[in-house]
Amino acid sequence: MTDCASLNEFLVDLASADDESVPPGLEQHLALCEACARQVDDVRAVRLMVHDALDLELTEADQAELDAMVLAAIARQG
Amino acid sequence: MDFGEPAETDEELVARLRAGEPGIFPVLVHRHSARVFGLAMGMLHNAQDAQDVVQETFLSVHRRLDGFRGESSFRTWLMRIATNSALMKLRRRRRKPELPLVIEEAEPQGRELSHEAVDLRPLADKVHHDRQLAAHVRAAVEALPDRFREELVLADYQGLSMAEIGDLLDLTVPNVKTRLHRARLAVRDRLRSRLGEDGL
Ligand SMILES: [Zn+2]
């Protein structure tokens, strides 16, 4: 049996997922239940946004500076 | 700058480096420094500390390269060193006991509705082009307590598996999953609330 109550367990897996596949029973439920579908989509959206937001931390110029600093430190270490 | 054949793998570069070929280490640094920095910023949210982590990581890689046995990919090995370095810094820095993560409860009627109305789905692909949105996302991640933030960064940014995260943080896999889920819901709620205030 699949209903709104079983969504949470799936979301916990999805939030962390190495594997994103939706169990067949739940897939049916998601097709019918907008509230649950939205929750799943939101969790996926947050994952993507967190990744992309952190990926933008460094500009190319900043990175060039950072690389130079690292290489200087390694040269000092010998 | 030309960093050589784009198709060359890290492992091939490491082999050339070990064979004594000059000019290889800078290529490896350039290839990975932004990612190490992003990881450290995500966990420490302090640019100076993040730079320190990048420097410590590559110094350590340089020193320990002979010990790299190729049992994991070079990238996994490097990111593990970076993660440990960031975690050590985070733990040294922790002074006060952490507050438990409180998922924000429903707010007064009306506001709650307007937050719920903020749809995150169409925003998922926009972070790369929208600096303000990216800043909101980072702020929401930064607002998490350390323990939740480090998991989120390790999972979503670094792409570690639940088992790897459990290993690094000394947690069981179900524990990792539960915390990660709570962290993600907290980020979602904070984002909605901030975007709602911005009238987006
Ligand atoms: Zn439902």
Side-chain angles (χ1 to χ4, degrees):
Chain A
M1 191 188 87
T2 307
D3 55 19
C4 297
S6 63
L7 180 74
N8 203 49
E9 194 184 336
F10 171 68
L11 277 179
V12 171
D13 278 333
L14 176 72
S16 45
D18 305 316
D19 174 17
E20 275 210 29
S21 54
V22 181
L26 187 59
E27 195 151 22
Q28 270 182 357
H29 176 75
L30 291 178
L32 298 170
C33 176
E34 207 175 318
C36 283
R38 162 110 186 235
Q39 287 220 60
V40 171
D41 287 347
D42 274 350
V43 167
R44 287 191 170 128
V46 169
R47 286 175 69 184
L48 282 175
M49 287 193 280
V50 167
H51 179 273
D52 289 353
L54 290 177
D55 224 19
L56 288 178
E57 291 278 18
L58 208 58
T59 65
E60 267 180 50
D62 289 341
Q63 195 194 353
E65 206 174 301
L66 186 63
D67 291 356
M69 187 190 79
V70 167
L71 295 173
I74 286 167
R76 278 198 303 278
Q77 183 189 250
Chain B
M1 226 199 260
D2 178 12
F3 287 106
E5 304 270 314
E8 196 159 22
T9 66
D10 289 338
E11 287 71 23
E12 285 164 346
L13 287 172
V14 168
R16 284 169 63 189
L17 182 63
R18 280 176 163 166
E21 192 175 326
I24 301 295
F25 202 75
V27 182
L28 286 168
V29 170
H30 184 74
R31 208 177 258 194
H32 296 287
S33 59
R35 202 169 171 84
V36 174
F37 185 82
L39 167 76
M41 268 305 270
M43 284 167 71
L44 299 160
H45 62 91
N46 173 298
Q48 182 59 53
D49 285 349
Q51 283 182 13
D52 289 350
V53 167
V54 176
Q55 186 160 326
E56 282 165 20
T57 298
F58 284 106
L59 278 170
S60 180
V61 165
H62 192 256
R63 261 196 317 267
R64 291 156 62 179
L65 204 56
D66 285 337
F68 172 61
R69 300 265 165 264
E71 283 155 8
S72 59
S73 73
F74 175 78
R75 187 173 153 239
T76 300
W77 182 68
L78 169 96
M79 293 315 271
R80 187 169 279 269
I81 292 173
T83 301
N84 279 321
S85 168
L87 283 174
M88 256 178 354
K89 212 172 246 313
L90 195 59
R91 276 162 198 164
R92 273 200 302 270
R93 207 171 68 179
R94 268 178 206 156
R95 289 180 208 97
K96 43 192 176 186
E98 279 192 64
L99 301 170
L101 176 61
V102 179
I103 306 288
E104 283 163 31
E105 296 297 334
E107 294 182 35
Q109 292 270 315
R111 276 201 76 190
E112 184 201 351
L113 275 178
S114 76
H115 292 170
E116 275 296 311
V118 176
D119 191 352
L120 299 178
R121 291 173 293 185
L123 301 176
D125 296 322
K126 289 199 174 144
V127 172
H128 263 116
H129 315 287
D130 186 336
R131 299 206 145 266
Q132 199 191 358
L133 176 60
H136 279 316
V137 175
R138 282 200 290 268
V141 173
E142 281 168 20
L144 292 171
D146 288 348
R147 286 209 151 272
F148 291 87
R149 197 175 59 247
E150 63 198 27
E151 294 198 0
L152 193 69
V153 171
L154 292 175
D156 282 359
Y157 183 57
Q158 200 179 328
L160 289 187
S161 71
M162 298 304 100
E164 286 176 307
I165 296 174
D167 214 27
L168 276 167
L169 302 179
D170 211 12
L171 293 168
T172 65
V173 166
N175 245 325
V176 173
K177 285 187 173 185
T178 306
R179 275 197 201 192
L180 198 47
H181 184 51
R182 291 176 63 199
R184 200 170 275 114
L185 293 186
V187 168
R188 179 199 66 187
D189 292 347
R190 204 171 289 264
L191 254 182
R192 272 200 188 139
S193 143
R194 292 185 63 126
L195 295 174
E197 278 156 24
D198 271 15
L200 291 174

